[in-house]
Structures are given as C-alpha cells and as structure tokens.
Amino acid sequence: MSLTLKRNTEYMKTSHTCGFDGLLVKKRKSSDALKGSMKNMEVKRKVFNIVKLLLHHIFATPFTKMENDLVNDGNHHYFEDVLQKIEENKYEDSQQVFDDLVDILEATTRTKQEVNIMLLGNNGIEVKKITYSKEDVELMANQMRKKIYNLENNLFREELEVNQNEEKQDLEIIQPMDDLDKIFKTLQSRFPAVPALILMTKALDISLSKSLDLDFIRNELEETNKKYQPKFKSYKFFPSRKHDFNMDKVIHSYIAGYQFHKMITKLSNSPVPMRTILNMSDAIESITYIENKESTEAYKKQKDVFEKQGKVDENINVEEMLLFHGTAVASLDSILNSNFIVDALPQQLNTQNEQRKKTMMFGRGVYFSELPAISLMYGNGLLLCKVMPGNCERFKPQGVPPPEISAEYDSREVESNNSQGVIHVVKSPAQILPYCVIQLKKQSLSSQYTKPSQCVQPNHPASHSKAQDQTQAGWSVVKADQSKAHSKLIRVQKTMQNYTFPAASSADQQTCSICCDLLSNEPAVSLARCGHKFHSLCVQELTAHQAGQQHIQCPNCQTIQGVKTGNQPIGGEMKWRKDNGKVPGYPDCGVIVIKYSMADGVQEECHPHPGKPFQAKGYPRTAILPDNQQGNVVLALLIKAFQRRLIFTVGPSLSRGEEDCVTWNGIHHKTGLQDAASGHGYPDGGYLDRVVEELKQIGVE
C-alpha cells in the first residue's frame, strides 16, 4: 500500500524555535492526513530505522542517553527512549514519533546548561571527555530539527530506503572540504561498528583538510571497526501475559526473571547499602539474553581447570552461582564484548562531577551480589552472570579492611552478621560468564537506599539446629567429642595414675631425657607401655602442656599411652557420603566424599592464645577417597581421628601468613579428584598406605 505524506511548513525566525535568532527552520503543523499508522509494519520499520539513523547523526550526541549518574531521575528523555517506545508499540502514528523527537530537542536546549560526553576506549575506560556549551547544544538542536523534517517529509517516498542501502559507499567519493554531514554518513555506512564520536572526530579532520590519504584513513578505521565489532549475540524479551514457550532462547529470560524476583524481596543485614526498588513485582522493563562464544570458551576452560584441581561439590560438580553485577549502562557493551576487566574504572560521576573512584574494600576482584538491590547501588545497568566461586574464602567484616585474597582461594564471600552472603569478590574474569541484562523501568529506580548495618565477628562457634541437621539427607554426620572431664589438673592426675607407675630406684647415672638431670635427683616414673623412665614432675608438665591430657606420648620412642586427643575446635562437623563417580587410579569402585565444616570462635585453654578469637577460613573443605576396602578402612580411621579432635588444630596458617587460624593438623587429605601437580589429588597409588601410617603414629588404629 502506497501512502503519500503531505506537510505544510512555514519559515520562522523566532529564537524559541530556532534556538537562537537568524537561522531558518521549518515549523511543523499537525494534520491527521499526514499521519502514518504505526500498526502498519512497513511504516513502523521505516520510522524505527529513521530514529536509529538520527541516533548516529553527527549532531545527535547531546540528545542521546548518557548514564553518567548513579540514579536517573527519569525526568529527561532521549532519542533512545523513542526507539524503546516504538518497540513497545506505544505510538499510534508516525506524527507522535516526530513530535517526541522535537520535544526532546526543545527540552534539552531549555534545561541543559552544558553537556559532558565521555569517550570510551575498547576496554571501557574513559579516554577523552567532550563538553558542549549551551550555545553548542542550541546549534546542534537546530541542525537536528532540519534533519528530522527532511526525513519525515520523505518518509513515504518509494525511493527512500532508510535502511541505508544506498549509503554503502566507499571512501573514494569523499573530497576535501566536503559537506561535514555527507562525510559523516559515508564513514558511518562504511564503518558501522565505530562509535559516532570517533567518526565525528575523523569527519571533522577530513572536512578541514586540503588533501587526503584515503588508504591510511581506510586502514585506520577498519582496525577501529574490528575492535568495536560486537562479539556477542543478544536476544531481547519483554514481560507479557502471553507466553510463547517455543520462542528461541526464551527459557533464559524466565530464569533471569525468576532469579531477580526471588532475590529482590530478600532482606539482609548488609554491611553495604541497598538500593530501594519501587513496585518490585512490575519493575522489569526487558531481559536480554547474551551469547558470547569467546567468553563461553574461556569459562569452560576454567571449569575444566577447577575439575582437575578437585574444586567440586559433594556431587563432584564444579559449583556455579547466578550473581548480579551493577554498573553504568554505558559500560555494559564493553563487558558483554570482552568480559570483565578487574581494574576497569567506573564510568559514573560523583556529586562533585568527578569520576567515581574504584574502591575494592573487600579485596581485588570483580564484585557481585546475590541481592540485586546491592548491585544496583553501583549503576542502573544490571547484569546477571554465571559465576564459579571455586575455593571460596568466607569473611565477616570487623571494622577493618581484610587482606587481599590469598593464592589458595579463588573468591571471597562477604557475610552479614546473620551469616548471609551479600558480596562475592571473584579474582579472575575466566570464572565469570555474562548471562542476561535486566533493564528496569525508570519509575522503579528510586534514589532511596537503606544504610548498611554493622557486622560484628561472632565470639562463639556456630551451633547447628535440628532443622539444619534435617537438611543433610544422604550424608552421614560425625560430631567430635565435646566432653570436658573435670579441670586440666584433674585430667593430668588421672592420666598419670592410669599410664605411669613409680620407677625403681637405680644406682646408675640414668638421666631424664625431658630435663636432662639425673633420675636419682627427683621422684621418677615409668611409662606403662614402653617402660621408659622420667621425672614424675617432668611427665606431668609435658602432659599439661600438650593438646589433650588423656594420653602420654613417650619423648624417647613416641609410643602413646592412653588415647591421644587434640585441640580441634569444638563444634565442627564431618559429613560423608558415597557417590557413583570414579577416582583416577581406581576404575572399579565409586567415590567417598568427605566434607569438613568448621566455624569461627574463641580459643580455649588448650589453644595457643586462650580468650583470643580464631578464624575458620576456607570451610567447608572436601576430601576424596576411593570406595574400596582400603578406602573404607581409611574412612573409619578418619572418623575416629575427627571424634578425637585430631584432624584440625588452631595455629598459624603458613599459606596465608596469618595467626590464629583453623588449619590441617598433619593428616594428609586428597582434596581433589585429579592431581594438578600439587600432590592433593589422584592418581596416587601409595596415598592410602601413607595416611594409614600417619594415623597410626598419632594412636589412631
């Protein structure tokens, strides 16, 4: 169907219409005869392409969206808003579209004193800042009015192809001192991925030069075009009461929407502020699913690395989470193209109109949260990502910044004072895969937020409720012995009574190997099992200062009299289960998975610094055994060792260089399925024999 558009125009010389006196513009008059119905798909397509063309016009910059502020008050509109309204079928006819475009020009010239534009490099970091004065904006608005009129007037001419097929021109048609608009459109059609600001700068250079090196210009822009060429595919979905479950990729929008609505309503005693989102049930404007082959391949490679390192859960799978990241909308394309850059600077401006500093208060890495209200404090661009935490360190704020994440950990989870994870710091971008962009409605993005709560480090071990124990179906749970029989003095006395007897006096010059004095100088005792002799007071002192007072270990032959116990913190938990996986080197059996859980607490009298807090970092910890006869023997011995509080101890962590930590106590564990040159995985044919010998040396047989 052919439509003819007629428009009456008149020339005016008013400053309100022109922006300033002396320039001629065409004033638009409304008429029903001049309207093209937006229900006609061909009309809608042409109008949509016209607005896209205007977005990239050399003078359109002040009228396009800039996400420089943390909070957009929603009072100002841009050309992108018109595009969005076209997509959402909010226009009845083309007249309304062009009216909105002109209204944006007039509102901008009326309200903006100046416009600041940040030119971003390929890594998302600002490389140049351009400022337009009010006079500049008025001049550019006048030129845009003319352009809008010309495009509108030719909208329904058959020869006009707004999709710019006729503009696929080569650079040879450019001549020195050519019209600036013509040069810009030619460059834009030839190099569509290059940002408009870069093309504008190049067009200005060409228009002012008297000679051209076309080969140099072409090569330079071709390289730039490659750098800015999108590396990802996107699939955009809008909330609707009607559902087409066969639509390609639509399942991802449902997953992202579910995750947002599930987590936006969660309350948290967060150590950081949380953005207030209005009308939460209807806050989502759109969801865009992202596919980036390069990022996906890097993510899969990192997943394989974690599998080989044994960084798996109880089901022998690498743990993956869905976490939110907040940023400036202007930074989203850079992230979707090239994934995250840990040291990339924020694009938002602070209240002093300065670039916001990047403060990694919980350690160096990329910051995420399970709670979108936290992520939205960092920008209106909300990105949902798949994240592999790997070996995750848990941290509770205590009023001072934590150290950097140590080499043994891949991420850090910052907990609130009710032990809920609120911030995740991920060390490597390879652990991250951008999944969906969630665009919220402007009216839902308020400037209000809740203040952070004060988190206090607990001074007692976490206890497990019955409800928590009931969630451990499929696991066998082991608790350590928590009894404290009498005082230390009484325990020492009982041990001396049970495992020593008075030594017969001797005329020879035997010495006590503990104090190196003659045995004849003081009362002596013999140990019950090995018979070695020592001063009675020396054995009492030795027993009193060891981890547990229920045994005596001979200083000469290391024979253990009694039952050796350790100083593993009370309140820990050991769980184990059997799975159908395979352990390298043991193809004919399944897998035994062991998980140890420990909690922060306060040191007791058997620890190095009684009364001082200790930290349990990096828990739960996983260990692997083959499900064969010898593997089950080792499991039984490890259970006995855990009950005797021998698996862990409190002391310095050599890997972190920190004091007062819950650390391994010398019994080697295989914490991974496969050995990545660390000695902590399989195959290792001698491991089971070695660990049996280690346990025997501490009295576990």
Side-chain angles (χ1 to χ4, degrees):
M1 177 172 126
S2 175
L3 297 175
T4 303
L5 178 68
K6 296 182 180 179
R7 182 167 298 282
N8 296 324
T9 63
E10 66 177 355
Y11 284 88
M12 300 187 63
K13 295 177 67 177
T14 62
S15 60
H16 176 73
T17 307
C18 302
F20 56 95
D21 291 337
L23 291 180
L24 299 177
V25 297
K26 298 175 180 177
K27 183 180 179 182
R28 307 162 61 250
K29 289 187 178 179
S30 176
S31 170
D32 290 340
L34 303 178
K35 299 175 182 177
S37 173
M38 294 294 285
K39 294 181 180 180
N40 184 303
M41 295 306 296
E42 181 65 17
V43 173
K44 180 180 176 181
R45 182 186 67 82
K46 288 185 176 183
V47 172
F48 183 84
N49 286 334
I50 282 176
V51 179
K52 286 185 68 176
L53 178 62
L54 290 170
L55 268 171
H56 298 292
H57 192 276
I58 187 173
F59 293 126
T61 306
F63 316 107
T64 57
K65 186 173 293 185
M66 296 165 293
E67 294 292 340
N68 291 332
D69 299 320
L70 176 62
V71 179
N72 189 333
D73 59 15
N75 294 327
H76 200 82
H77 298 285
Y78 302 94
F79 284 180
E80 288 91 344
D81 299 320
V82 176
L83 268 183
Q84 185 173 326
K85 289 174 69 176
I86 294 174
E87 288 182 325
E88 297 169 357
N89 299 317
K90 293 187 177 180
Y91 291 111
E92 295 182 1
D93 54 65
S94 59
Q95 171 92 41
Q96 295 175 350
V97 177
F98 293 108
D99 286 345
D100 266 8
L101 292 171
V102 173
D103 288 344
I104 289 170
L105 298 178
E106 294 179 354
T108 304
T109 55
R110 185 171 62 252
T111 60
K112 296 278 188 178
Q113 295 301 316
E114 66 176 28
V115 175
N116 295 308
I117 307 294
M118 288 186 295
L119 182 60
L120 305 183
N122 189 45
N123 57 2
I125 299 176
E126 178 186 349
V127 296
K128 189 175 182 181
K129 184 175 181 180
I130 300 176
T131 299
Y132 295 109
S133 67
K134 184 173 180 61
E135 290 74 17
D136 293 332
V137 174
E138 289 174 343
L139 175 61
M140 298 167 86
N142 187 67
Q143 294 296 321
M144 290 304 299
R145 288 190 190 93
K146 291 181 180 180
K147 187 68 177 178
I148 291 171
Y149 170 77
N150 289 333
L151 290 171
E152 181 185 11
N153 199 40
N154 291 290
L155 174 61
F156 300 108
R157 292 183 183 176
E158 294 296 329
E159 64 270 16
L160 177 65
E161 292 293 337
V162 184
N163 60 14
Q164 303 177 51
N165 287 335
E166 80 280 8
E167 293 183 4
K168 298 295 183 182
Q169 309 161 20
D170 203 358
L171 300 187
E172 277 72 12
I173 68 169
I174 295 179
Q175 299 297 325
M177 310 302 289
D178 258 351
D179 176 73
L180 188 60
D181 196 22
K182 175 185 174 183
I183 297 172
F184 177 76
K185 289 196 295 183
T186 302
L187 295 178
Q188 191 176 50
S189 64
R190 182 68 174 80
F191 308 104
V194 178
L197 285 175
I198 295 179
L199 291 179
M200 178 176 67
T201 303
K202 185 60 66 178
L204 286 169
D205 292 342
I206 294 173
S207 68
L208 297 175
S209 64
K210 296 182 180 180
S211 61
L212 295 174
D213 185 345
L214 294 178
D215 289 335
F216 177 80
I217 294 172
R218 181 187 294 105
N219 293 337
E220 183 182 21
L221 288 176
E222 281 178 351
E223 287 300 315
T224 306
N225 196 66
K226 289 178 182 177
K227 291 180 181 179
Y228 285 94
Q229 195 72 35
K231 299 178 182 178
F232 63 91
K233 291 182 180 179
S234 61
Y235 305 83
K236 194 169 187 177
F237 303 93
F238 296 91
S240 173
R241 293 181 63 185
K242 298 179 180 180
H243 300 275
D244 182 359
F245 296 107
N246 295 320
M247 186 183 300
D248 190 29
K249 315 295 184 183
V250 72
I251 184 64
H252 301 291
S253 70
Y254 291 126
I255 293 173
Y258 167 78
Q259 191 71 12
F260 174 83
H261 287 296
K262 180 180 74 170
M263 305 308 295
I264 195 65
T265 56
K266 283 200 171 185
L267 300 177
S268 171
N269 295 322
S270 170
V272 294
M274 297 178 64
R275 184 93 169 263
T276 300
I277 304 300
L278 306 177
N279 194 21
M280 291 184 291
S281 62
D282 190 34
I284 295 180
E285 184 75 36
S286 65
I287 296 175
T288 302
Y289 167 62
I290 304 300
E291 285 184 346
N292 186 317
K293 290 184 178 180
E294 189 176 304
S295 297
T296 301
E297 285 301 316
Y299 186 78
K300 288 180 178 178
K301 288 181 181 179
Q302 184 62 50
K303 191 173 185 179
D304 291 340
V305 170
F306 279 170
E307 286 181 347
K308 291 178 181 178
Q309 293 175 343
K311 296 176 181 178
V312 294
D313 59 18
E314 57 269 20
N315 297 316
I316 322 298
N317 296 319
V318 174
E319 182 184 2
E320 294 180 89
M321 306 179 71
L322 284 176
L323 301 177
F324 294 94
H325 177 84
T327 186
V329 174
S331 300
L332 283 174
D333 277 352
S334 175
I335 295 173
L336 301 180
N337 263 310
S338 308
N339 212 332
F340 289 87
I341 299 173
V342 175
D343 294 317
L345 295 176
Q347 297 307 312
Q348 300 97 328
L349 302 181
N350 59 23
T351 55
Q352 285 76 39
N353 205 34
E354 300 170 339
Q355 188 173 37
R356 183 170 64 84
K357 295 181 179 179
K358 188 165 189 172
T359 305
M360 299 184 183
M361 63 185 297
F362 297 115
R364 184 176 181 274
V366 184
Y367 279 57
F368 293 90
S369 178
E370 292 184 74
L371 307 177
I374 290 178
S375 297
L376 284 165
M377 287 299 301
Y378 299 88
N380 292 341
L382 186 62
L383 184 58
L384 182 64
C385 297
K386 294 181 180 180
V387 176
M388 295 180 290
N391 188 14
C392 182
E393 175 190 31
R394 284 166 175 80
F395 170 78
K396 289 187 180 180
Q398 305 177 64
V400 294
E404 292 295 340
I405 304 174
S406 62
E408 66 179 295
Y409 295 108
D410 306 294
S411 64
R412 172 179 284 161
E413 182 176 356
V414 181
E415 297 181 339
S416 62
N417 55 13
N418 60 359
S419 299
Q420 178 183 0
V422 291
I423 294 288
H424 295 260
V425 186
V426 181
K427 288 173 69 173
S428 171
Q431 299 169 237
I432 307 164
L433 181 63
Y435 180 54
C436 287
V437 176
I438 301 177
Q439 181 180 343
L440 302 185
K441 296 178 179 178
K442 291 181 180 178
Q443 56 268 34
S444 294
L445 292 169
S446 74
S447 58
Q448 303 172 7
Y449 63 92
T450 56
K451 294 182 178 180
S453 62
Q454 189 71 28
C455 289
V456 180
Q457 184 75 10
N459 57 5
H460 57 83
S463 61
H464 292 267
S465 66
K466 292 182 179 179
Q468 287 174 314
D469 289 336
Q470 292 171 359
T471 65
Q472 304 182 43
W475 290 90
S476 296
V477 181
V478 180
K479 299 284 187 179
D481 180 16
Q482 300 185 22
S483 63
K484 292 184 180 179
H486 313 293
S487 66
K488 179 188 288 189
L489 178 60
I490 294 177
R491 293 198 300 271
V492 171
Q493 291 175 349
K494 289 176 68 68
T495 299
M496 293 290 293
Q497 291 173 4
N498 292 333
Y499 305 113
T500 67
F501 56 90
S505 59
S506 176
D508 59 17
Q509 299 296 306
Q510 290 185 9
T511 60
C512 171
S513 61
I514 298 175
C515 67
C516 297
D517 278 352
L518 292 174
L519 284 173
S520 58
N521 290 346
E522 293 182 27
V525 293
S526 295
L527 300 186
R529 289 189 62 185
C530 63
H532 287 114
K533 299 177 182 180
F534 307 91
H535 289 136
S536 177
L537 288 178
C538 290
V539 175
Q540 291 183 44
E541 285 292 314
L542 178 69
T543 306
H545 287 88
Q546 64 189 15
Q549 286 78 47
Q550 285 80 30
H551 75 285
I552 302 172
Q553 188 163 5
C554 177
N556 292 349
C557 65
Q558 303 302 310
T559 300
I560 295 175
Q561 340 281 319
V563 178
K564 184 174 183 176
T565 57
N567 64 354
Q568 174 182 298
I570 293 176
E573 185 181 80
M574 174 186 180
K575 300 189 298 183
W576 63 272
R577 64 185 290 181
K578 296 185 177 183
D579 285 317
N580 295 325
K582 299 294 182 185
V583 177
Y586 299 90
D588 300 322
C589 64
V591 179
I592 300 173
V593 181
I594 303 171
K595 180 177 285 190
Y596 296 105
S597 298
M598 303 298 294
D600 299 349
V602 176
Q603 297 182 54
E604 301 175 61
E605 61 180 359
C606 59
H607 294 136
H609 304 109
K612 186 177 179 181
F614 65 80
Q615 300 181 66
K617 295 185 176 182
Y619 293 86
R621 295 184 180 182
T622 302
I624 304 293
L625 291 170
D627 188 13
N628 59 10
Q629 182 177 357
Q630 193 176 15
N632 280 274
V633 169
V634 172
L635 173 64
L637 294 176
L638 290 176
I639 291 174
K640 188 181 293 186
F642 186 84
Q643 291 171 331
R644 295 180 183 178
R645 300 171 64 189
L646 294 167
I647 299 291
F648 299 98
T649 186
V650 174
S653 171
L654 299 179
S655 59
R656 286 190 296 269
E658 297 176 8
E659 295 288 334
D660 305 311
C661 297
V662 181
T663 64
W664 294 109
N665 195 27
I667 303 170
H668 288 86
H669 286 67
K670 293 295 185 182
T671 55
L673 273 175
Q674 297 194 12
D675 192 354
S678 63
H680 302 313
Y682 295 91
D684 186 344
Y687 166 68
L688 296 177
D689 291 329
R690 293 197 308 274
V691 75
V692 168
E693 186 61 28
E694 288 174 353
L695 290 162
K696 182 179 179 180
Q697 290 176 8
I698 58 174
V700 180
E701 300 178 80

